[in-house]
Amino acid sequence: MPPLFRALRPHQWVKNLFVGAPLLFSKNLFDATLAGRAAAAVALFCLVSSSVYLLNDVLDLDADRAHPKKRGRAIASGALSVADARLAAALFIVGALSAGAALGAPFVATLGGYLVLNLAYSLALKHMPFIDVLCIAGGFLLRVRGGAFAIDVPASSFLLLCTGLLAAFLGYGKRAHELRAAGARAGEQRRVLGRYRERPLWIALWALGVATVAAYAAYTRASHTLAYFGTGVLVYTAPLVALGVARFLWLVARRPDAESPTAEMLRDRWFVATLALWIVAVSVVIYAR
């Protein structure tokens, strides 16, 4: 795999599927025009997020070289020069914001806000415990907002709530995993880890897991949901969400050798099977009627 492409972290592009969530839940999945706009929005978020990864790896060069796994990244290993990484990031950012104009000013503003938030995260906020993960969660909320602006539909408050809780849950899970895996060298590998403590981190993780499942269950029974989809059977997909949350907690606690639990969950057959079943079940409920 070419060093530049590897540095873009294409395996992380799956996160940008959240941009397509408004398309799915607005019952417009089979509208070719709106699906095309949503796909373009996903692609532009991929460009910008990869640009942020490039810049972040430049800033984290020394810390990555001290990390047992991250030292193999393209920039940390020397396979991709710092100058080439900066140039590629600049070109991708300019290209994405320019192309985003076709999806409207609100979308461009959201994409720009996502960029600014992530630059602030890379420069300073990633060193502040708990604030760092809230920034990550904010990025997911902007993804959903951007997807809604791209197809000109409102993003429901429940969709935003569930997205924010889930993103924070995954983020704190990653921090808990990193803290346990790094041990005494935690602060060297990621400065903010030296300011985390395992007990409050796990308390936050469990609380967010419960809150995520509860918020999703409440969404399935909300009057707006029942009226919009014309059925109450969506609630039967809530156990799949609970199962996915429980499996992620298991991966955080039991797979310390993995680079990250968020990457590991996409290789875990049980988690992937649960996610696939949830997607199929939700799609059937929304579109079979």
Side-chain angles (χ1 to χ4, degrees), residues 186-269:
E188 296 177 33
Q189 296 179 10
R190 191 188 290 271
R191 190 195 310 176
V192 74
L193 291 179
R195 303 176 65 184
Y196 272 111
R197 294 296 177 267
E198 194 166 355
R199 181 176 174 78
L201 192 55
W202 274 94
I203 291 173
L205 184 58
W206 276 95
L208 285 165
V210 172
T212 299
V213 175
Y216 180 78
Y219 161 71
T220 65
R221 300 304 300 166
S223 57
H224 171 268
T225 305
L226 298 176
Y228 190 66
F229 296 128
T231 178
V233 300
L234 195 63
V235 69
Y236 296 115
T237 64
L240 294 173
V241 175
L243 186 59
V245 165
R247 186 63 182 179
F248 180 77
L249 286 168
W250 187 90
L251 291 172
V252 171
R254 300 299 181 90
R255 296 283 180 85
D257 56 325
E259 181 176 347
S260 81
T262 50
E264 188 68 15
M265 69 183 184
L266 297 177
R267 292 190 288 264
D268 180 75
R269 60 180 181 176

Side-chain angles (χ1 to χ4, degrees), residues 13-51:
W13 290 345
V14 66
K15 297 176 182 178
N16 293 312
L17 292 179
F18 276 83
V19 178
L23 180 74
L24 173 65
F25 286 97
S26 65
K27 300 190 289 188
N28 287 307
L29 187 61
F30 299 110
D31 184 307
T33 299
L34 294 184
R37 291 176 66 87
V42 171
L44 294 177
F45 266 89
C46 287
L47 272 181
V48 172
S49 62
S50 288
S51 301

Side-chain angles (χ1 to χ4, degrees), residues 105-117:
F107 174 80
V108 174
T110 305
L111 187 62
Y114 174 84
L115 173 63
V116 170
L117 175 65

Side-chain angles (χ1 to χ4, degrees), residues 28-88:
N28 287 307
L29 187 61
F30 299 110
D31 184 307
T33 299
L34 294 184
R37 291 176 66 87
V42 171
L44 294 177
F45 266 89
C46 287
L47 272 181
V48 172
S49 62
S50 288
S51 301
V52 171
Y53 286 136
L54 288 171
L55 296 175
N56 191 64
D57 285 356
V58 169
L59 293 171
D60 284 351
L61 188 58
D62 293 334
D64 285 352
R65 285 174 174 168
H67 193 281
K69 292 184 173 64
K70 294 179 181 179
R71 67 178 63 173
R73 288 178 175 175
I75 300 174
S77 66
L80 179 66
S81 71
V82 170
D84 287 345
R86 287 173 175 166
L87 176 60

Side-chain angles (χ1 to χ4, degrees), residues 91-113:
L91 292 175
F92 290 152
I93 290 170
V94 172
L97 293 176
S98 299
L103 298 178
F107 174 80
V108 174
T110 305
L111 187 62

